[in-house]
Amino acid sequence: MAGTDAGALPGASLDPVIHPLPRLRICALLDPVTEEEFGALRELLGVSDSALSKQLAALSDADYTGQRRAIRGGRSRVWVRLTPQGRRAFRAHVAALTELAAIHPPGSAQHTNKE
């Protein structure tokens, strides 16, 4: 993802791959850890195997996630991780969201509801 221009609009650097909420949640769960087991990630997100697989495929196509397969307890398991590129993209996306949210913070004159 490219750096932010000084003249760029706030939020202009939002990552369209990460921005959909399911993918944003996946990245948020993977960012603080080295990797997470697929089943645990599915449970944390409260989604089906197919829904998680679909979102991981989109992240993987952008080289934002990787997988490791291994046998544990006699069963095949899959561990998911953010790639270094994915971690950088997620953190840049969060920074862009933070910048966008700071334009009119709650309580500012522009943010108050008019009745």
Side-chain angles (χ1 to χ4, degrees):
M1 221 167 107
T4 304
D5 287 344
L9 296 173
S13 59
L14 291 173
D15 189 307
V17 175
I18 294 175
H19 194 65
L21 188 55
R23 293 183 213 149
L24 183 62
R25 292 178 66 212
I26 290 167
C27 291
L29 288 169
L30 292 175
D31 185 50
V33 300
T34 304
E35 62 184 6
E36 185 65 71
E37 199 267 326
F38 181 94
L41 192 57
R42 180 194 63 229
E43 294 302 317
L44 288 166
L45 293 166
V47 297
S48 67
D49 285 355
S50 62
L52 179 54
S53 292
K54 179 180 176 181
Q55 299 306 324
L56 287 174
L59 291 166
S60 181
D61 287 348
D63 293 323
Y64 286 176
T65 60
Q67 295 183 4
R68 175 176 67 88
R69 297 178 186 278
I71 296 186
R72 181 175 172 192
R75 295 181 58 196
S76 180
R77 304 277 183 170
V78 176
W79 281 267
V80 182
R81 70 183 179 289
L82 282 178
T83 63
Q85 179 180 341
R87 197 172 305 278
R88 283 190 303 273
F90 171 69
R91 291 176 181 175
H93 186 80
V94 170
L97 284 171
T98 301
E99 179 184 343
L100 189 60
I103 293 174
H104 299 294
S108 70
Q110 294 86 1
H111 192 270
T112 56
N113 292 331
K114 296 181 181 178
E115 294 182 28

